[in-house]
Structures are given as C-alpha cells and as structure tokens.
Amino acid sequence: MYNTQKVQSLLIIGFVWPEPNSSAAGGRMMQLISLFQKQGFTITFASPAQDTDFMIDLQAFQADKKGILLNSQSFDTFVQELNPSVVLFDRFMMEEQFGWRVAEKCPNALRILDTEDLHSLRLARQKAFKEKRDFKTTDLLIEEVAKREIASILRCDVSLMISEVEIDLLTTTFKIDTSLLLYLPLLLEPHAFLNLDTAPLFDNRKDFIFIGNFLHEPNWNAVQYLKETIWPLIKKQVPEAVLNVYGAYPSQKVLQLNNVKDGFLIRGRAVDAQEVVKQSRVVLAPLRFGAGIKGKLLEAMQCGTPSVTTAIGAESMQGQLPWNGFVEDNPELFASKAVTLYQDEKIWLEAQQNGFDIIKQRYMTTLFETEFKAQIQTLQGNLPQHRLNNFMGALLQHHTLKSTKYMSKWIEEKNKS
C-alpha cells in the first residue's frame, strides 16, 4: 500500500470555511467530514478564506482548523509536517492553487477533488441564458473555465461527483475515464428527514417559500423571475397567497424586491432553514440555469414539503422516480401547478410521499458509505498503477506544476518586496 500510516489523516483545503446553514455546499462539506471520520480519519480543515460570522465551529466536530496563505512557502512546511494520507480539494480553484505543492511535498497522498458541481457547466448555461439561446454541450468546449476544471479533474486521483448527468458529460464530451470519477450525491442520515407521522400536516402549513444563498447567481435570477413573471400569475389565482423569500447574503437589490402589498416578502437569512421550509406548504424553485443537484430541493423533501421546479432544478435528482411535486419550464404551467399543489391536499400528499421515496432510494448515507470506503482503500492500495493509467493527468501535472509553481513563486517574491 502506498501509505502505511496506521491512523489515517485527511487534509481538506477549503475554498471557504463551511457554513452548512448558508448553503448546500457547506452541508456537503460536513457530510464528507463525517464520512471520513467514520473511516477513522483525523481531519484538518485548512483554508485561505477569511473567518465569517456564520462559519461552523470545526473543533466542535473534532476537526482541526488551520488558516493558510496563497502563494506562500509556509504552506509547503505545513503540509510536509502534517503529511496527510489523503488531501481533498474543495472545488477546482483550490487544486489549482495548492495541488502542485501537495504533489511536490506529499507525493504519496491520495488527491481527491470535490467538484460540488461542474462550475463550467453552470457558467456555460448562464452565458447561453443571457444570450437568449439554448445551451449546447459543445458550448463547454469553448468555455474557458472548462479547460481549467477538466485539467484539475485529470490531475487528481479521483473526483467526487454529485450529479449523474455531469458524470455522463465528463465521460462523453471530455472523454474522462470513469476510474477518475466517483458518484457521491448529497447524503442524509436516517434521522435527518421527516416522515408521514412527523411532518406538519397540510392544514397546519401556509404560504409558498423560496430559499437559497444569494451569492449564487442562479438563485438571484430565480427570485427575479418569480417577482416579474411567476408570482403575478400565482397571485391572480390565489389573491391571499404569500411568498416568503429566504436566503443568506441578500444584496440591496434583493432587499428592494420586498413588497408587502403583493405578498412578496424578502426575509433574508433563515435562523433555521428546515424549520421555515417545514412550516411552508410549497417550495418554488424556478431555476433557469445551474448545475449539480439542488440542496434546496432535497431539503424540501426532507421537510415533507412538495416543490415546483424546472428541468434544470430537478436535473439528476430523482432517477426514474416521480418528482416531489411538479417539474415545469413554462411559466404559466409552473404557476398553475404551484396553485394545484397549494390547494389540493390529495395531490400534495402524493407529492410529499414521492419526496420521502426519493430520499430513501437515492440519498441515504447507508447507500454509499461502504462503497465509498472500499473505493478509497482500493485507490490507496493501487495508487502507483492508478496514476500510471492516467497518463493525461501525469502530463498535466508535469506541465502545470512547472507553470503554476513559477508563477506562484514570482508572486511570492513580489509580495516580499
């Protein structure tokens, strides 16, 4: 085996400090920490990001916290002394910054990329939307970020993917070998979701809800779409309807959309996101571009709250199972289905059950943790051969290491003067 340490250690290099109450990405990171801890790993979480008021207390979760600097030799000393068995890069930008240093100082460490979602796919779809044209997969081939992201995937030993659609894109459009990709969606423990006995009843719920981090462009766009197009259509059919819009980091532009008369209420950050979702009757998520799988829609299922979303919103989430409500791209149909869910208890209950079924069959931690552990052990035990099989990754590692290394060292020297 490549690494013979008895107690295995994981170094996570985070783009930001985890905020599970602010975004699905924060929740995803805490799931990964738990998954590795169950395997006996000690965890160090390092990030060049500034501390925030809403970051989780990592030490309360038995993880060490370490601030690191970009373009600094101090990271080399830190990582060499830590000598981790596994290094996990949180998004490709962190692999770009620190991957060459890890490869140089800890060559025997298994390098994992957690993609979160394919950034290049989200950006290419966003560009197509803004240019008022349909997205084509060939758009990815000219997307600048795709070149960086694919290079990062190839340089790593394995990339964690939350979307089967994205795995298909990588293997068909970019010809990535499946041995470099591992499907691991958002995960839920059995106690993390309600059931028919514990979820608030239809009659005990009220209002529509949208929830999403406003630093994420697809969420801001969806709220604009609700305000301008969809909400007036719903309001026409249900004059007393109220839409509560929750989300971390709302800008002034978001706050200005608040209109009590129209029942369009900007609530800002939810103290407890699950609490506000489970008290609501219907989740609205008219996402027009994006990637990955949507934490807000999985959270709706957890809370027993049916949802109406778009094909982009539901992408890769339900497999062959019926949706937790309705999937509609046409705004009139979207509004009509939202009203149906809001008013028809029988249809609402069926949708709620669909959500519970999707969770049980696709998102339970128990469905993935054994296979995940086996895959990590296999990769660690076969790392030299695995890397030999990935010639394109070795080639990129060779050239990128040199170009990134000398650029970083130039910046480092510049910072000294």
Side-chain angles (χ1 to χ4, degrees), residues 189-228:
E189 299 289 348
H191 59 78
F193 66 97
L194 303 176
N195 56 45
L196 290 174
D197 297 325
T198 55
L201 300 172
F202 177 86
D203 286 337
N204 293 340
R205 296 168 179 255
K206 62 174 188 172
D207 301 340
F208 294 89
I209 187 171
F210 173 91
I211 191 161
N213 188 317
F214 286 108
L215 297 178
H216 196 54
E217 182 68 21
N219 289 334
W220 162 234
N221 180 269
V223 169
Q224 287 178 293
Y225 187 34
L226 277 166
K227 174 76 173 179
E228 295 164 10

Side-chain angles (χ1 to χ4, degrees), residues 94-150:
M94 291 297 95
E95 189 279 334
E96 282 184 329
Q97 287 286 344
F98 296 99
W100 67 270
R101 293 181 185 272
V102 170
E104 199 173 70
K105 301 299 177 186
C106 302
N108 297 341
L110 178 69
R111 297 190 298 271
I112 302 176
L113 173 64
D114 185 38
T115 56
E116 293 289 351
D117 61 20
L118 277 184
H119 292 59
S120 51
L121 176 61
R122 174 159 37 88
L123 291 170
R125 282 174 168 168
Q126 184 174 333
K127 196 174 290 182
F129 171 79
K130 292 198 168 171
E131 292 172 1
K132 295 182 169 57
R133 59 180 177 80
D134 290 337
F135 164 77
K136 306 183 296 296
T137 53
T138 50
D139 291 343
L140 285 167
L141 299 174
I142 55 171
E143 174 57 53
E144 193 64 32
V145 170
K147 297 176 179 69
R148 294 169 53 198
E149 193 165 31
I150 298 305

Side-chain angles (χ1 to χ4, degrees), residues 12 16-34 37 43 45-47 50-66 249 269:
I12 301 172
V16 292
W17 300 107
E19 291 188 23
N21 292 329
S22 299
S23 70
R28 159 73 163 187
M29 184 50 69
M30 298 312 295
Q31 291 161 17
L32 290 176
I33 287 173
S34 173
Q37 283 176 332
I43 314 282
F45 193 105
S47 177
Q50 297 291 315
D51 287 5
T52 68
D53 293 338
F54 300 100
M55 61 191 274
I56 202 146
D57 178 4
L58 286 159
Q59 290 177 326
F61 289 85
Q62 288 75 55
D64 290 333
K65 176 179 180 286
K66 172 73 177 172
Y249 302 107
R269 179 185 290 272

